[in-house]
Amino acid sequence: YVPLRDWHGYEEEGMASWYGAAHHHKKTASGERFDAYHGLTAAHKTLPFNVCAEVENLRTGKSVLVRINDRGPFAKGRVIDLSQAAASEIGLVRSGVAKVRVEAVGVADASGECRDS
């Protein structure tokens, strides 16, 4: 995957899924350890690492702010893979997949946190 040079204004709708225990503490594509249970992170094919994205579950109307720290999803037809913690925030864990809107909204701060603007 080739990261976008200009992610400003990026918005996309499509199917999201999540990943959890099987990948917990394994290295992500960015080199950090994946935290399935506490990290509000996601895997995306083209958004650069440390870009923050708002992900809205279009069925529930709930949204979560995630930091891109991995590449994927590898399942056909998916636009983003959320950590289990992020998926839980928007009511995605039980269904496993859901239609979402993904919008790039900024870059993580020095501590690696995404904050509401």
Side-chain angles (χ1 to χ4, degrees):
Y1 299 123
V2 178
L4 295 169
R5 286 181 183 264
D6 184 11
W7 52 266
H8 295 87
Y10 178 91
E11 191 173 321
E12 177 178 26
E13 285 188 12
M15 299 304 288
S17 52
W18 63 274
Y19 59 127
H23 300 277
H24 188 63
H25 280 293
K26 292 185 179 175
K27 281 192 176 183
T28 64
S30 66
E32 68 185 76
R33 297 275 177 198
F34 177 63
D35 184 348
Y37 308 113
H38 301 102
L40 296 178
T41 58
H44 193 275
K45 293 176 185 172
T46 59
L47 285 175
F49 296 141
N50 289 319
V51 164
C52 298
E54 182 176 15
V55 181
E56 178 187 2
N57 181 331
L58 296 177
R59 182 182 60 78
T60 65
K62 294 180 178 180
S63 64
V64 64
L65 199 56
V66 298
R67 180 175 55 85
I68 305 301
N69 74 337
D70 207 357
R71 289 288 169 238
F74 298 107
K76 187 174 180 159
R78 308 268 169 82
V79 298
I80 197 165
D81 262 343
L82 303 173
S83 66
Q84 185 173 345
S88 180
E89 292 278 324
I90 62 171
L92 180 64
V93 173
R94 177 170 270 164
S95 64
V97 295
K99 188 167 185 181
V100 298
R101 177 179 299 114
V102 179
E103 182 181 357
V105 295
V107 177
D109 64 21
S111 70
E113 295 295 317
C114 292
R115 306 206 191 277
D116 291 324
S117 335

